[in-house]
Amino acid sequence: MINRQIPNLLVADVAASAAFYRDVIGMEPRFESDWYVQLGAAGGPGIELGLHRSDHELIPEAFRNQAPSGQYLTFVVQDVTAVHERAQAAGVPVIQAPKSEFYGQIRMLLTGPDGELVDVSMLDPDFGK
């Protein structure tokens, strides 16, 4: 039985990454240190994200200081337009502005502080109309 699942990103600057996921995406800090921050969704006890300093001694040397590749994070939110506005105000690189997709969601793509691809989407209220 799995009790919990926490995706962890290896990041160069824990504070900068925590600010991005807090201020742009809307997550809340649940634990903070200089080498690790754990975030959770407001009111969503099962949604967590860990940010781990990539050069920390707990990370095996072969995995330290590597650029993220081969995965991306998806956050399904209530209002993708609000996230887009916060991203623009914060100067976050927007790869794709909010766009209605063929599968029934409005989706935008951002670049996170360490170059990670971040997908932010919501259900398209006009889908199928």
Side-chain angles (χ1 to χ4, degrees), residues 4-5 9 13 21 47-48 67 81 86 94 102 108 117 128:
R4 215 167 146 193
Q5 191 270 338
L9 291 179
D13 185 335
Y21 287 100
I47 299 171
E48 298 177 286
T81 302
R86 291 194 302 265
V94 176
F102 68 91
M108 68 175 290
L117 178 62

Side-chain angles (χ1 to χ4, degrees), residues 80-104:
V80 74
T81 302
V83 176
H84 183 243
E85 290 170 359
R86 291 194 302 265
Q88 288 184 307
V92 171
V94 176
I95 298 168
Q96 175 186 301
K99 173 184 168 194
S100 292
E101 298 288 2
F102 68 91
Y103 53 86

Side-chain angles (χ1 to χ4, degrees), residues 9-14 34-36 51-67 114:
L9 291 179
L10 299 178
V11 300
D13 185 335
V14 173
D34 64 337
W35 59 274
Y36 182 77
L51 304 169
H52 202 296
R53 200 176 78 220
S54 61
D55 65 351
H56 193 269
E57 65 187 72
L58 290 175
I59 304 303
E61 197 163 328
F63 293 90
R64 293 180 191 169
N65 302 314
Q66 294 183 21
D114 281 80

